[in-house]
Amino acid sequence: WESVEFTEEACAFIKLKLQRNHPLKCVDFYPVAKRWRSSKFFLEAEDGSSTLWILDLDRKARIGGKVLYYFKEIETQSEFDEILRNDLVWWTKYMKDAVAWNE
């Protein structure tokens, strides 16, 4: 994960990509982090609350009978930590499979 630079541009890009009826289309948010080599973002609510979502523009899910980009509200610190742990496992496997590291 890396911090998002040019958050206004990133936010505009995300809003443009979201389907017309996507639930996040009506939410004021800004991206705080992006997963390396993917279109997966952590989004934070602009209203000052601690609401955090994960949005994956590489994955779709059926939500309310419609196929939309996958998103999920992160409700606990342990849920957030688990996402980061799983991504670290993925990244480590990716690097080893790409022979990016010498063993």
Side-chain angles (χ1 to χ4, degrees):
W1 288 91
E2 55 195 9
S3 63
V4 176
E5 295 184 29
F6 310 109
T7 56
E8 288 179 18
E9 289 87 351
C11 189
F13 168 78
I14 292 168
K15 292 261 184 177
L16 183 66
K17 294 288 286 183
L18 290 176
Q19 296 92 341
R20 180 176 48 88
N21 48 2
H22 196 286
L24 289 176
K25 191 83 165 184
C26 303
V27 175
D28 290 327
F29 61 79
Y30 60 94
V32 291
K34 180 185 177 301
R35 187 173 140 186
W36 180 72
R37 288 195 166 189
S38 76
S39 293
K40 191 183 240 185
F41 297 87
F42 282 124
L43 307 174
E44 190 172 305
E46 282 189 359
D47 63 6
S49 68
S50 60
T51 306
L52 185 68
W53 297 275
I54 188 163
L55 171 67
D56 190 345
L57 297 177
D58 295 327
R59 179 177 163 197
K60 293 185 179 176
R62 186 167 294 280
I63 302 169
K66 298 174 177 85
V67 178
L68 304 171
Y69 289 116
Y70 175 82
F71 80 105
K72 182 177 186 317
E73 183 175 345
I74 300 169
E75 298 178 356
T76 64
Q77 181 67 46
S78 62
E79 188 177 1
F80 179 72
D81 293 342
E82 183 179 346
I83 291 168
L84 294 178
R85 265 192 310 276
N86 290 341
D87 283 345
L88 178 60
V89 167
W90 169 86
W91 182 77
T92 303
K93 182 179 179 336
Y94 171 84
M95 294 300 283
K96 287 182 177 179
D97 287 350
V99 192
W101 290 340
N102 296 326
E103 295 188 52

